[in-house]
Amino acid sequence: MTDFNPNASLPAPSIPGDALPPVEQHAQQYATVRNAHETELIEDYVELIGDLLAHRGEARAADIANRMAVSQATVSKMIRRLNELELVTSKPYRSLFLTEAGQKMAETSRARHDIVLHFLRALGVRDATARIDAEGMEHHVSDETLAIMQRFTEQQQKS
Amino acid sequence: MTDFNPNASLPAPSIPGDALPPVEQHAQQYATVRNAHETELIEDYVELIGDLLAHRGEARAADIANRMAVSQATVSKMIRRLNELELVTSKPYRSLFLTEAGQKMAETSRARHDIVLHFLRALGVRDATARIDAEGMEHHVSDETLAIMQRFTEQQQKS
DNA sequence: CAAACAGTTTAGCCTTGGCTAACAATATTG
DNA sequence: CAATATTGTTAGCCAAGGCTAAACTGTTTG
Ligand SMILES: [Mn+2]
Ligand SMILES: [Mn+2]
Ligand SMILES: [Mn+2]
Ligand SMILES: [Mn+2]
């Protein structure tokens, strides 16, 4: 308390909206987001490599660069990281492949991504918009919410 | 095409899930996410400062550090950035305040955040989970989806 | 009113994820 | 099969967003 504040301890002015959450809970919100940001790019790479392998039979660095709209140098550097994390195997000038761990991550990410995408479409969001939103949202959806989204989509499809 | 691929041009194996989107559309997805990531931390700071001002009458760097679970040094550096962006005004060792532009951003972010949070609760997500998910999702929800979320929540409340 | 405490800033370090430019390897094609 | 085009790598740059340690300022209290 440094600045003079005329309303410091009055009954309660016209506070709009919800109150602030308790400090620990609030901190948890931000920490969870920071955490998601550490892994989401990795997940997107692995998921994309999995998709390219499934749909095209091979995953080349140039395809990734084009699909992500990023320079080839950026992809090359990222592949080195994925290698160090033992998520992909790569021989220079050859297609990438996923390790066991990489395949597992790709499947999990793809499943999560699809649930979010299908949910948004079931909600009534146009396909192109749903795809864009899902690409970002997928990394910030808890398992609890994911389960609810899936149920919602199934309900929707029955009717 | 470098690696030998026995299925290269066969009818179409057992491709699971959706096909890959066209390259340009796919690239747009990732680009939009990268874009959101550039502004989201700024938005969270401004939104939090606005909330602290509204609910506490002042916004101190130490409060922000506690609520974000981040070091005071990190906050201090960020405040310099917010100052350069002319979103906040600050005098050394005094409470922060929002500029006009800062207030506008705070309101927009808060409104968006609330719509997402209330939507998740309306869907049936538990409050604590909804708060965590909303903190991340809010930055990746298009205006189109936001409008649909808002309508959904209102419908829910009528019934 | 001096000392202790709490809050703030600065300096310097690190990792991530972008970029461009230059170079190297492979693939395609006249 | 040589020239060209495509693809991949490396080096070196940058900004953002974390951190710790140390210095400084303002507030509270003995
Ligand atoms: Mn994805
Ligand atoms: Mn994604
Ligand atoms: Mn947020
Ligand atoms: Mn927010």
Side-chain angles (χ1 to χ4, degrees):
Chain A
M1 286 285 180
T2 299
D3 287 350
F4 174 67
N5 172 7
N7 298 322
S9 51
L10 285 181
S14 65
I15 290 174
D18 293 335
L20 289 165
V23 178
E24 300 74 27
Q25 189 186 352
H26 209 168
Q28 188 55 55
Q29 294 176 205
Y30 296 113
T32 303
V33 172
R34 280 196 300 273
N35 223 53
H37 285 165
E38 276 179 25
T39 51
E40 67 176 85
L41 191 57
I42 299 283
E43 285 171 13
D44 281 343
Y45 267 85
V46 169
E47 189 189 332
L48 176 55
I49 291 167
D51 288 350
L52 287 170
L53 288 170
H55 292 287
R56 294 268 193 281
E58 62 173 13
R60 314 292 308 225
D63 300 346
I64 299 174
N66 285 330
R67 291 213 165 249
M68 291 210 170
V70 125
S71 77
Q72 292 195 347
T74 295
V75 172
S76 195
K77 200 199 274 193
M78 198 63 179
I79 289 171
R80 198 165 42 215
R81 250 194 96 200
L82 296 175
N83 244 303
E84 282 158 13
L85 294 171
E86 307 204 69
L87 292 166
V88 311
T89 59
S90 66
K91 279 179 263 188
Y93 298 95
R94 291 288 177 278
S95 172
L96 300 167
F97 293 98
L98 294 173
T99 63
E100 282 292 317
Q103 287 182 38
K104 192 165 273 181
M105 181 183 284
E107 276 165 40
T108 309
S109 300
R110 167 54 48 201
R112 183 172 288 261
H113 195 138
D114 284 347
I115 290 172
V116 174
L117 176 59
H118 296 148
F119 170 76
L120 287 173
R121 289 203 285 230
L123 253 194
V125 179
R126 287 183 309 119
D127 180 76
T129 311
R131 283 178 186 273
I132 290 174
D133 289 4
E135 192 62 75
M137 286 172 58
E138 59 172 343
H139 311 282
H140 301 283
V141 173
S142 61
D143 286 347
E144 179 186 342
T145 300
L146 208 63
I148 291 174
M149 286 180 168
Q150 191 164 25
R151 243 181 300 146
F152 180 93
T153 305
E154 281 161 9
Q155 284 305 318
Q156 203 69 3
Q157 271 152 8
K158 260 187 267 180
S159 62
Chain B
M1 283 283 181
T2 300
D3 287 348
F4 175 67
N5 173 6
N7 299 322
S9 50
L10 286 181
S14 64
I15 290 174
D18 291 334
L20 290 165
V23 179
E24 301 73 27
Q25 189 186 352
H26 209 169
Q28 187 55 55
Q29 292 177 205
Y30 296 112
T32 303
V33 172
R34 281 196 299 272
N35 223 53
H37 285 163
E38 276 178 26
T39 50
E40 68 176 86
L41 190 56
I42 300 283
E43 285 171 13
D44 281 343
Y45 267 86
V46 168
E47 188 189 331
L48 176 55
I49 292 168
D51 287 350
L52 288 169
L53 288 170
H55 293 286
R56 295 268 194 281
E58 62 172 14
R60 314 293 308 221
D63 300 346
I64 298 173
N66 285 331
R67 292 211 165 249
M68 292 211 170
V70 126
S71 76
Q72 292 196 345
T74 295
V75 172
S76 195
K77 199 200 275 194
M78 198 64 180
I79 289 169
R80 198 166 42 217
R81 250 194 97 198
L82 297 175
N83 243 302
E84 282 158 13
L85 294 172
E86 308 204 67
L87 292 166
V88 311
T89 59
S90 65
K91 279 179 262 188
Y93 300 94
R94 291 288 177 276
S95 172
L96 300 168
F97 294 98
L98 293 173
T99 63
E100 283 292 318
Q103 287 181 39
K104 190 165 277 183
M105 181 183 285
E107 277 165 39
T108 309
S109 300
R110 167 53 49 201
R112 183 173 287 261
H113 196 139
D114 284 348
I115 290 172
V116 175
L117 176 59
H118 296 149
F119 169 76
L120 287 173
R121 289 202 285 230
L123 254 194
V125 179
R126 288 183 308 118
D127 181 76
T129 311
R131 284 177 186 274
I132 289 174
D133 290 2
E135 192 62 76
M137 286 172 57
E138 59 172 343
H139 310 282
H140 301 282
V141 173
S142 62
D143 286 347
E144 179 187 341
T145 300
L146 209 64
I148 291 174
M149 286 179 168
Q150 191 164 25
R151 245 180 300 148
F152 179 93
T153 306
E154 281 161 9
Q155 284 305 319
Q156 202 71 2
Q157 270 153 9
K158 260 187 267 179
S159 60

